[in-house]
Amino acid sequence: MTVAQITETLDGTLLVGQELLGLEIRSACGADLMSDVMAFVKENVVLLTGLVNPQAIRTADLMDIKVIVFVRGKTPPKDMLDEAAANGQAVIATKHTMFVSCGKLWEAGLRSGGTR
Amino acid sequence: MKLRYVVPGDDLSFAGRASAEVKRALGRLGVDPSVVKRAAVCMYEAEMNMIIHGGGGVAEADVEQDRVRIILEDRGPGIPNLELAMREGYSTAPSWIREMGFGAGMGLPNIQRNADDLSIESKVDEGTRVTIIIKLSDPPAEQP
């Protein structure tokens, strides 16, 4: 599933990372605990999180995660978006909850859990 | 190559920056990406620990011929019970740290899982020194 399809499936808004719209993503991980992301995430995932602070962007960067979705209508501030853009990451905001967001992606065919 | 960072304990906007810089430096040196990621995870968890518990400190990454040696040293309160601290899920972090996505007792176990060698020297009321070794040529550490 591409970043563009993820954005559409989640009725989301792409905040940064226009150049990554065609990037193919194979699995997804929903987490608010960044240590879990570092312990269990595989390659090539989209990270869904309700944690709106720079640690979400930095943890994703350390794990080579290129796409981050902020759920529950949360919009990260400009300095976080600038950091994501500098890292070469795409950031999507969706009004849906974590549960509904994960369900929508599952239903649309993104079924690998993104963890090992 | 030796990299050295002073990690402030009172400004969380810096948390993780040293680790990110070390990750990029290792990448530029052509180190295997899976090794880079293990080093980055170890350093990031240790950096967060140093900020959360140690009041900040000094982080160093020394890239040698066959390994990366990462040392983080603080003058914080020390770890009274190291065995307990190493247990997955055990945490003494305050709730505001949990709101940042950390402090769930995964830090030290995550470091141990990713490091080829981990040693922790800690004295109560004096501080803690964490030394992490990541070998450059060997395959990644076995996952549980």
Side-chain angles (χ1 to χ4, degrees), chain A residues 45-108:
Chain A
V45 307
V46 50
L47 171 66
L48 295 100
T49 186
L51 184 78
V52 184
N53 69 39
Q55 268 58 48
I57 300 290
R58 286 174 201 165
T59 302
D61 183 43
L62 284 176
M63 297 306 290
D64 296 326
I65 295 172
K66 291 288 178 196
V67 190
I68 304 140
V69 176
F70 289 103
V71 299
R72 300 196 293 270
K74 295 179 178 182
T75 305
K78 186 179 178 304
D79 58 339
M80 274 177 64
L81 293 175
D82 288 346
E83 190 167 335
N87 293 341
Q89 295 166 310
V91 176
I92 299 164
T94 176
K95 64 181 186 301
H96 296 300
T97 63
M98 177 75 91
F99 179 74
V100 170
S101 298
C102 292
K104 279 179 172 287
L105 291 178
W106 171 274
E107 203 170 54

Side-chain angles (χ1 to χ4, degrees), chain B residues 109-140:
Chain B
N110 257 359
I111 296 172
Q112 190 159 52
R113 196 177 287 130
N114 283 282
D116 289 304
D117 190 58
L118 166 66
S119 73
I120 302 170
E121 301 153 67
S122 188
K123 280 189 182 165
V124 172
D125 296 331
E126 288 186 25
T128 301
R129 179 185 166 97
V130 176
T131 305
I132 297 158
I133 303 289
I134 308 281
K135 293 181 186 170
L136 291 180
S137 51
D138 286 358

Side-chain angles (χ1 to χ4, degrees), chain B residues 10-37:
Chain B
D10 55 354
D11 187 351
L12 288 166
S13 66
F14 284 96
R17 286 198 178 167
S19 309
E21 284 189 30
V22 167
K23 182 183 186 232
R24 293 192 212 302
L26 293 175
R28 280 195 297 272
L29 289 172
V31 174
D32 181 273
S34 68
V35 175
V36 172
K37 196 180 286 186

Side-chain angles (χ1 to χ4, degrees), chain B residues 63-120:
Chain B
V63 185
E64 300 168 0
Q65 190 70 24
D66 59 347
R67 62 187 183 173
V68 186
R69 184 198 306 264
I70 299 166
I71 298 173
L72 297 101
E73 194 161 11
D74 66 60
R75 300 273 172 222
I79 305 171
N81 187 334
L82 196 52
E83 194 183 331
L84 205 53
M86 292 300 297
R87 195 178 295 171
E88 199 163 292
Y90 177 79
S91 176
T92 57
S95 58
W96 64 272
I97 289 296
R98 291 170 202 239
E99 285 160 18
M100 290 177 56
F102 288 88
M106 295 288 286
L108 288 175
N110 257 359
I111 296 172
Q112 190 159 52
R113 196 177 287 130
N114 283 282
D116 289 304
D117 190 58
L118 166 66
S119 73
I120 302 170

